[in-house]
Amino acid sequence: MDILLDNAPLNLDDLGKEMPVLALKNMLFFPGIATPINIARSKSLKLIDDIQQGKSWIGVFCQKDTQTDDPDFDDLFPVGLVANILNVQQEENDTITVLVIAAERVKLESITATEPYLKGTFSLLPTIEDNTPETQTEIQQLRDIIKEKTLKILASKIVMPDFVIASLQRSNDYNYLSNLALTSVDADIEKKQAVLACNHLKDRYTMLLSLLDHDYQLVEIKESIRKKTQVDIDKQQREYFLQQEMKNIQEALGGNIHDIDLKDIKEKAAKISFTPEQRKTFDKELKMLEHLHPHSPDYSTQMTYIQNILSLPWNNYTQDNFNLNKAKQILDKEHFGMEKVKERILEHLAVLKLKGDMKAPILCLYGPPGVGKTSLGKSVADAINRKYIRMSLGGLHDEAEIRGHRRTYIAAMPGRIIQSIQKAGSANPVIILDEIDKVNHSHQGDPAAALLEVLDPEQNFAFHDNYLDMDFDLSKILFIATANSLNNISQPLLDRMELINISGYIMEEKLKIAAKHLLPTQMDRHGVAKKQFDIPKKTMEAIIESYTRESGVRELNKKLATIMRKIARAIAAETDYPKKLQVSDLKEFLGAVEYTKERYEGNEYAGVVTGLAWTAVGGEILLIEVSLSKGKDPKLTLTGNLGDVMKESAVLSLEYIKSHATQWNIPDEVFSKWNVHIHVPEGAIPKDGPSAGITMTTALVSAFTQRKVKPLIAMTGEMTLRGRVLPVGGIKEKILAAKRAGIKEIILSHENKRNIEEINEIYLQGLQFHYVKDISEVLNIALLPEKVEGAVEIV
């Protein structure tokens, strides 16, 4: 039997002397293997400072307990290594990294000093090798097995160059290979320490091999998984390969993705308050999922369906804010005017506060663009502390967008109502159905008809989505629809909504909105401070009159944004700019004047009368022009892109005048000698409706009699063949148009008086109203006795 030393360079005489002792936490290294060690403890740092690199030996021992900060003899494993320091690297966090290489195994005999760091004496441990033929054969076999497994484990953990692998395979330095194996194997410190402390070479190899077996088996499993999933990988197959490998790994570790998913689904479903019918449907669908194989094409479809059900906020409601004063403050702060809407919201909150529960109303805000219908919904949600969702319905033409697709279709999904509720995460959000008047129908169904169930408080407590195939309660949702015009909305849909008209703004309101909301917002968006820039009231009026023509304030907001961009550029470039924008500066900032103010054009001509019209973007004044020309075969000519209803009004007016010609001293032969031409200017714009009936009649009588029309007067109203004046709509918008044009008097049907009484007094200032029942009253008010200058004799 021979006694060998692992490495020869160590001078044995040094072992009898006192040497520094370096204690390590949870770390071992082995002879011949260079290993970096991070040093942080003060005693260890002092030790490294005192010794010279490459010239002094130290003893390195591992602690038994990593929590011990100041170890002594009993706190260290007795077997360690005597080592040499190769390099010292200073780190940024006041620590150092020391590269150490061990020489021999040693036993710690005693601790001779603890300050300023540990010092002790060691004895060299021999390696005992039995040189009998049988033992040598066993040792050689153990070495070969250790070498094979070590190289395979290293290859799986570290990417090594081919020349390194070839060098290790040719190497016969079995001590180095076994130490390399101990370094790379994943095992407890105690087990590695036991191998290090073993003196008998055969026993040491046997213990090492048992540690290698665990890592080697993991490598074998990984290799078998790789062989199972080994295919020609390209871009299309990469995703499949990764999923398959993950599955094989989980199966090898005893897991099952399908079971894990089902367990997670059942846990989530148990927390949801389903109704008995909903629970029955869900359990049925879940049972179907359990019987599907994960690789089945139907599995992903069924899983997606189950996940959609679980993602819905069943009976999950946010708490409403019943502080009416706070809600009113929020609504008043963010929107000017709109008193009816605000009053309706506060009424709803009051009932909720008293009753605790009620079916949410379906509000429809209609009016011209830019008056704040959509943004009001966000303010309402903030005021009552609910989630806010906006659904744009403009151009919607597929019924499945509302009700969802049936699951039999590929890529089926729930309708937009259910998707919005999923997004909100609450079963009682505020949902804005924007542009409901822009919904179209096609061969794919009528979305407006699908909205009937959504917006009917008597039905929407059990809304049926085709994809879910389960009833969902929409009755707690506050739906607010917006529209520019009610003409394009079906009557059944209108019946289910509470209509609230939001009309355009007068000049005074636009000025307040611009000063209070629009200008501060644009200045903030463009990084301009209040002290750096301002727009006086007179300049703001010029912007509104000369650069916008709208009932709302959307275009005004765009113009202010244009101005603020130029101001921001001037500030950034440190160039001069007007601190207060004057009217004279507008051409530089906004260009030439885009609109001339709509104004009454005077009464110098016979046959020209000012009417009032309603459009989707607000009210406008409408000039009706009548000219007469002699002809042998008299005819009526209508121009100006008129619709059928407006043409019928013109024919009706002419026939009424013919039958009552003597009442206005019009000779009968006039109608057989003169051609009548009725024109409505701005011929590129389509015009229709009956509200110009009395205006056309007045213009025709003025032309036939050559009498002047009263100055600064306008009118609107439908006329019957008997001369009766009927009421018309859009009164508030028409009044705003009249004020913009400088009109002072307005003729309306007597039945429109109720509409005037509902309008805020501020809109009526400076206007005189004439309420009439018959066309004769209109003519008596509108026509003056004197004729126009240079009047043509009509005979």
Side-chain angles (χ1 to χ4, degrees):
M1 182 180 294
D2 295 336
I3 297 178
L4 305 175
L5 296 178
D6 288 341
N7 289 282
L10 181 64
N11 186 347
L12 299 181
D13 295 336
D14 292 338
L15 292 177
K17 300 177 182 179
E18 183 183 63
M19 287 188 189
V21 175
L22 179 63
L24 301 181
K25 290 184 177 181
N26 201 27
M27 182 177 182
L28 275 178
F29 60 101
F30 303 93
I33 309 298
T35 306
I37 303 172
N38 186 260
I39 305 295
R41 286 189 284 198
S42 58
K43 286 188 176 182
S44 300
L45 292 170
K46 178 63 176 173
L47 186 155
I48 300 302
D49 286 341
D50 287 355
I51 65 174
Q52 295 182 351
Q53 295 181 13
K55 295 182 179 181
S56 298
W57 296 97
I58 62 172
V60 184
F61 294 85
C62 184
Q63 294 180 201
K64 296 176 182 178
D65 185 0
T66 58
Q67 301 300 319
T68 304
D69 288 329
D70 192 9
D72 206 341
F73 181 83
D74 294 332
D75 300 318
L76 302 175
F77 286 107
V79 177
L81 295 157
V82 62
N84 194 266
I85 296 176
L86 300 180
N87 185 36
V88 178
Q89 177 69 42
Q90 183 69 41
E91 303 294 343
E92 293 181 358
N93 55 353
D94 295 331
T95 64
I96 60 174
T97 299
V98 180
L99 184 63
V100 177
I101 187 166
E104 294 291 346
R105 298 180 305 116
V106 294
K107 181 179 180 182
L108 180 64
E109 297 292 345
S110 65
I111 295 295
T112 58
T114 58
E115 296 296 338
Y117 43 80
L118 293 177
K119 294 181 182 180
T121 58
F122 320 124
S123 63
L124 186 67
L125 289 178
T127 296
I128 303 172
E129 180 178 352
D130 191 345
N131 55 8
T132 62
E134 295 82 0
T135 305
Q136 285 295 319
T137 302
E138 290 179 11
I139 289 174
Q140 187 58 45
Q141 289 175 346
L142 288 171
R143 283 171 170 169
D144 292 341
I145 295 172
I146 289 171
K147 180 178 180 179
E148 176 190 351
K149 292 188 175 183
T150 299
L151 292 177
K152 197 159 190 176
I153 292 170
L154 287 173
S156 69
K157 294 184 176 181
I158 306 171
V159 179
M160 296 185 295
D162 293 340
F163 72 88
V164 175
I165 296 175
S167 174
L168 290 174
Q169 287 174 339
R170 291 193 301 269
S171 174
N172 292 321
D173 188 350
Y174 295 107
N175 287 335
Y176 175 77
L177 287 172
S178 64
N179 291 332
L180 186 62
L182 272 171
T183 304
S184 61
V185 73
D186 292 329
D188 296 338
I189 288 294
E190 290 79 4
K191 293 180 179 179
K192 288 188 177 184
Q193 184 72 35
V195 176
L196 182 67
C198 183
N199 292 332
H200 288 271
L201 187 61
K202 179 184 173 182
D203 294 341
R204 189 192 304 170
Y205 283 160
T206 302
M207 294 169 67
L208 173 59
L209 190 58
S210 68
L211 295 183
L212 289 174
D213 280 343
H214 179 266
D215 283 20
Y216 186 76
Q217 287 177 11
L218 292 178
V219 173
E220 287 289 308
I221 292 172
K222 186 175 180 180
E223 187 67 25
S224 65
I225 292 171
R226 184 175 287 108
K227 287 180 180 178
K228 287 181 183 178
T229 58
Q230 189 172 6
V231 291
D232 294 332
I233 300 175
D234 56 19
K235 290 182 180 179
Q236 294 179 349
Q237 294 171 318
R238 178 176 176 81
E239 182 178 353
Y240 169 79
F241 169 75
L242 294 174
Q243 291 175 347
Q244 187 69 17
E245 188 173 45
M246 183 184 297
K247 174 181 175 295
N248 290 332
I249 291 171
Q250 290 178 337
E251 287 180 354
L253 296 175
N256 188 303
I257 298 176
H258 182 55
D259 293 340
I260 294 172
D261 287 343
L262 288 175
K263 181 181 178 182
D264 184 50
I265 287 171
K266 289 179 180 178
E267 289 176 355
K268 289 181 179 178
K271 299 176 183 177
I272 297 176
S273 302
F274 287 122
T275 63
E277 294 79 9
Q278 291 168 345
R279 176 68 65 181
K280 183 179 179 181
T281 302
F282 179 81
D283 290 344
K284 177 184 175 183
E285 297 294 340
L286 183 58
K287 189 174 181 181
M288 186 183 299
L289 179 67
E290 290 175 341
H291 287 84
L292 287 173
H293 193 277
H295 294 298
S296 168
D298 294 331
Y299 180 82
S300 61
T301 302
Q302 188 69 8
M303 176 61 78
T304 303
Y305 172 70
I306 294 293
Q307 295 291 356
N308 269 300
I309 292 178
L310 294 177
S311 64
L312 278 168
W314 302 90
N315 300 317
N316 181 19
Y317 304 105
T318 55
Q319 186 66 40
D320 285 335
N321 174 23
F322 294 123
N323 189 331
L324 301 184
N325 292 330
K326 183 178 179 182
K328 188 175 187 305
Q329 288 175 2
I330 293 174
L331 293 174
D332 289 340
K333 178 183 177 183
E334 298 183 1
H335 286 81
F336 183 82
M338 300 187 183
E339 300 304 330
K340 281 189 177 181
V341 189
K342 295 175 184 177
E343 184 179 351
R344 184 63 187 85
I345 297 299
L346 294 174
E347 289 171 357
H348 175 64
L349 285 179
V351 175
L352 275 177
K353 184 175 182 178
L354 297 177
K355 189 173 182 293
D357 185 25
M358 69 173 291
K359 292 179 180 178
I362 313 296
L363 305 180
C364 180
L365 312 180
Y366 69 97
V371 295
K373 300 185 298 295
T374 303
S375 60
L376 181 67
K378 184 69 170 65
S379 299
V380 171
D382 291 340
I384 62 178
N385 194 34
R386 288 194 185 186
K387 298 294 181 66
Y388 166 77
I389 294 294
R390 174 182 170 271
M391 280 180 54
S392 179
L393 301 181
L396 194 69
H397 57 80
D398 187 356
E399 180 183 346
E401 290 284 332
I402 302 297
R403 289 190 179 277
H405 303 81
R406 298 194 180 276
R407 279 185 289 153
T408 53
Y409 292 98
I410 297 173
M413 61 178 62
R416 292 176 65 180
I417 298 293
I418 295 298
Q419 289 182 44
S420 297
I421 295 171
Q422 287 176 330
K423 183 179 179 182
S426 166
N428 63 337
V430 175
I431 296 183
I432 303 299
L433 302 175
D434 212 9
E435 309 288 358
I436 198 171
D437 57 327
K438 308 297 191 303
V439 174
N440 300 320
H441 66 273
S442 66
H443 64 282
Q444 294 171 309
D446 187 0
L451 284 171
L452 293 177
E453 183 183 2
V454 176
L455 301 181
D456 191 344
E458 301 300 324
Q459 300 182 49
N460 64 8
F461 66 90
F463 173 68
H464 188 84
D465 185 273
N466 290 330
Y467 179 83
L468 287 183
D469 204 21
M470 296 170 67
D471 290 340
F472 192 88
D473 185 5
L474 304 181
S475 63
K476 305 296 190 298
I477 297 174
L478 178 57
F479 287 102
I480 300 179
T482 71
N484 295 133
S485 172
L486 300 181
N487 297 333
N488 299 326
I489 304 177
S490 65
Q491 191 60 43
L493 195 55
L494 282 176
D495 289 342
R496 285 162 170 80
M497 297 187 293
E498 185 175 336
L499 304 178
I500 300 177
N501 182 24
I502 301 180
S503 58
Y505 299 116
I506 61 174
M507 173 65 74
E508 290 77 7
E509 290 178 321
K510 288 184 179 181
L511 289 172
K512 289 181 180 178
I513 293 171
K516 188 176 179 181
H517 297 285
L518 303 185
L519 185 58
T521 300
Q522 290 298 342
M523 291 178 70
D524 182 62
R525 287 180 181 175
H526 292 83
V528 179
K530 291 183 179 180
K531 61 182 179 180
Q532 292 178 301
F533 181 71
D534 188 30
I535 299 180
K537 181 179 178 180
K538 186 177 180 181
T539 308
M540 191 69 75
E541 286 182 5
I543 296 173
I544 294 170
E545 289 184 351
S546 303
Y547 293 91
T548 66
R549 179 169 288 179
E550 57 178 348
S551 294
V553 290
R554 183 171 294 153
E555 189 66 26
L556 174 60
N557 197 33
K558 292 178 182 177
K559 296 300 180 185
L560 294 178
T562 302
I563 294 172
M564 296 316 303
R565 286 195 297 270
K566 296 182 183 299
I567 295 296
R569 178 180 176 183
I571 294 174
E574 298 182 356
T575 58
D576 292 336
Y577 68 93
K579 299 294 189 297
K580 284 186 177 294
L581 193 68
Q582 302 300 323
V583 176
S584 57
D585 300 321
L586 290 180
K587 185 173 182 180
E588 177 186 350
F589 282 82
L590 296 177
V593 171
E594 297 181 21
Y595 302 103
T596 55
K597 187 175 180 180
E598 296 174 327
R599 286 209 172 271
Y600 173 75
E601 294 191 358
N603 62 343
E604 294 81 9
Y605 300 96
V608 179
V609 181
T610 303
L612 298 174
W614 178 91
T615 70
V617 295
E620 291 185 0
I621 65 169
L622 194 70
L623 294 178
I624 306 293
E625 300 178 344
V626 176
S627 67
L628 304 176
S629 61
K630 285 190 176 183
K632 294 181 179 180
D633 186 15
K635 61 181 180 179
L636 172 64
T637 304
L638 303 172
T639 57
N641 204 348
L642 309 183
D644 291 339
V645 176
M646 205 165 184
K647 290 178 180 178
E648 290 172 359
S649 296
V651 174
L652 185 149
S653 296
L654 184 58
E655 291 302 319
Y656 179 83
I657 293 170
K658 286 181 181 179
S659 62
H660 296 77
T662 55
Q663 185 175 344
W664 298 294
N665 299 320
I666 302 175
D668 292 337
E669 59 269 19
V670 168
F671 303 107
S672 61
K673 295 181 180 179
W674 294 81
N675 296 317
V676 179
H677 187 163
I678 300 177
H679 177 68
V680 184
E682 298 188 35
I685 302 174
K687 309 167 192 71
D688 203 5
S691 62
I694 64 172
T695 312
M696 287 184 171
T697 304
T698 305
L700 285 168
V701 173
S702 173
F704 283 128
T705 61
Q706 293 293 293
R707 290 168 60 183
K708 279 188 175 185
V709 178
K710 193 174 183 179
L712 301 177
I713 193 170
M715 60 191 71
T716 181
E718 182 180 355
M719 190 186 80
T720 69
L721 193 57
R722 293 176 293 130
R724 184 185 170 197
V725 180
L726 300 180
V728 291
I731 297 300
K732 184 177 179 181
E733 287 78 6
K734 291 176 180 179
I735 289 174
L736 294 180
K739 286 181 71 80
R740 288 197 301 266
I743 298 296
K744 299 298 182 184
E745 298 179 55
I746 297 178
I747 300 176
L748 299 171
S749 168
H750 182 78
E751 295 179 45
N752 280 127
K753 186 175 182 179
R754 63 177 183 270
N755 302 108
I756 299 298
E757 291 172 350
E758 293 178 356
I759 297 175
N760 194 315
E761 187 65 31
I762 189 175
Y763 296 97
L764 309 179
Q765 292 177 0
L767 292 175
Q768 180 183 355
F769 294 95
H770 302 280
Y771 303 108
V772 298
K773 296 181 179 179
D774 190 85
I775 188 64
S776 59
E777 297 178 58
V778 176
L779 296 173
N780 291 334
I781 296 169
L783 297 181
L784 298 176
E786 67 267 23
K787 294 187 177 183
V788 297
E789 186 176 346
V792 180
E793 192 68 26
I794 306 297
V795 291

